[in-house]
Amino acid sequence: MSNKMWGGRFQSAPHAIMEEINASIDFDRKLALQDIAGSKAHVAMLAKTGIITREQADAIDAGLERIRGEIESGIFTFSRALEDIHMNIESRLAELVGPDAGRLHTARSRNDQVALDFRLWVRDTIDALDAQIADLQRALAEKALAHAGTVMPGFTHLQTAQPVTFGHHLLAYVEMFWRDRGRLRDARARLNESPLGAAALAGTSFPIDREMTARALGFERPTANSLDSVSDRDFALETLAAAAICAVHLSRFAEEMVLWTSRQFGFVTLSDAFTTGSSIMPQKRNPDAAELVRGKAGRIFGALQALLVVMKGLPLAYSKDMQEDKEGTFDALQSLSLCLAATAGMVRDVEPDAARMREAAGASYATATDLADWLVRRLGLPFREAHHVTGQVVAAAAAKKQGLEQLSLADMQAIDPRITPEVFSVLGVEQSATSRTSHGGTAPNNVREQAEKWIDRLGQASNSPETSRPIPSHQGLRSL
């Protein structure tokens, strides 16, 4: 038997393989409550414009409310034979209200219906992700404030470069995640137009009110072109692009956790809550949460690339290829949410070893730049000359296997007799960090000020399970 929702043109049922490749209900059921929200807005508009009667609209609305309850309580039966979430809901609606259920699809196509549902889901998920990123920023800022003066090595090329503070390092990620929130909010602003009413691709001859449905669903306005309305997936691409950049930042932090928890670095410790053991080596504590965050970044990148490839060759307007837009997006944003939750947990859990960090900060002549700066500031040397003198001092210290602060004044004066005992005031790692008072620098007072500003901007962390909990699989199923 052909599909009763669209099969009037067909004489026989699809092949089993056709049903298998065509069905999307296994994943697009995530859009269930968005679909109901869109249908409720649409039926209210149909009644107000006189396209259907108020009695018909009330019956349909009541049926949709009952279906919402069934889905939320987990008793709704999803059927693969009905292909997708739209026809599953419409079929159940027909069982509840009879033939009038068919009036719901007046002036609407599955093309604008799915475009609407997907936009609503992505918009809801952006809002949830924004809250999670803000929670991660709070965790970072609070830890940064607690360790504004904890000295550690700063790196370039993964080689010890100059002393910084642990708090300063953490605040770098606060800045990164602030940009991520900005990109997601930009994506939200651009997606916040309603495609409902574009119908299949050309609009409709019915006297619909698209402004009404747009307002009812929280959109700024209806989309302006019916062809673009049903064929656009920029909103998903842009959100995935923002998610991919955020995943880069999460992965970089995760990589540092992996390095820093190793015996070779020994900078920080994660508790049992965010580590696992080995099945054969009882001494092991593995930073698996960080490694999984690092690994899941690839899934997020892949979803973006996959959707770009799907969309790149499609003519206007809708093509069935676009059914491939959802699984990757659902998975990527769910993965991002889980990574954000895990990272926020690690940040709150991590404990730095201040003594080990300080020791590492002073290794590899990390205060050499401070010596060069002192030669410029106190002796008036051009920086290039000061750089050359400092290089000779470092070489002398290396030959004696000493740190710069351990080298004698006589040894330094043998290289440049103008050097005075005052030079030792700039060769300690704490003095080095404290001296970096320029805007955005690592001086502890700077770090405290910036951390306090971020905490104030972000609001106090609640530390409740809700703030760091990942988005559930039904995220976005809020009433609209």
Side-chain angles (χ1 to χ4, degrees), residues 373-391:
D373 289 346
W374 182 86
L375 293 170
V376 171
R377 201 166 49 244
R378 301 300 295 171
L379 303 186
L381 273 64
F383 183 79
R384 287 304 173 198
E385 183 181 350
H387 186 286
H388 182 72
V389 169
T390 300

Side-chain angles (χ1 to χ4, degrees), residues 185-370:
R185 289 175 175 182
D186 287 347
R188 190 192 195 284
R190 272 184 285 278
L191 74 77
N192 206 31
E193 297 181 344
S194 172
L196 186 59
L201 77 162
T204 179
S205 59
F206 288 96
I208 62 173
D209 184 346
R210 295 190 63 205
E211 292 282 353
M212 177 182 173
T213 51
R215 286 194 303 272
L217 293 165
F219 289 106
E220 291 292 327
R221 63 190 71 83
T223 51
N225 183 282
S226 60
L227 284 167
D228 181 54
S229 300
V230 299
S231 62
D232 167 44
R233 292 299 183 271
D234 288 3
F235 63 91
L237 287 168
E238 189 171 1
T239 302
L240 286 173
I245 297 172
C246 185
V248 169
H249 297 152
L250 290 168
S251 185
R252 294 181 75 179
F253 181 83
E255 170 68 3
E256 294 191 316
M257 288 295 100
V258 172
L259 289 173
W260 293 355
T261 56
S262 70
R263 176 68 65 183
Q264 289 74 14
F265 277 78
F267 287 179
V268 301
T269 300
L270 287 169
S271 76
D272 295 354
F274 289 94
T275 56
T276 64
S278 165
S279 63
I280 192 172
M281 296 171 284
Q283 82 282 8
K284 292 292 293 298
R285 182 195 293 274
N286 299 323
D288 282 5
E291 291 173 3
L292 288 165
V293 168
R294 187 177 60 186
K296 285 181 183 293
R299 293 174 68 162
I300 298 168
F301 304 160
L304 171 60
Q305 182 65 20
L307 186 53
L308 286 168
V309 172
V310 166
M311 297 302 298
K312 73 175 183 62
L314 297 186
L316 298 181
Y318 181 83
S319 298
K320 195 69 172 187
D321 312 48
M322 292 166 68
Q323 184 167 290
E324 293 297 310
D325 59 358
K326 295 172 199 65
E327 280 186 282
T329 302
F330 292 156
D331 180 79
L333 299 187
Q334 193 73 32
S335 294
L336 180 64
S337 172
L338 186 56
C339 290
L340 287 165
T343 305
M346 283 189 288
V347 169
R348 292 190 168 103
D349 183 77
V350 72
E351 288 299 330
D353 184 333
R356 172 67 188 123
M357 282 184 165
R358 187 195 181 284
E359 177 189 4
S364 300
Y365 310 104
T367 58
T369 304
D370 298 276

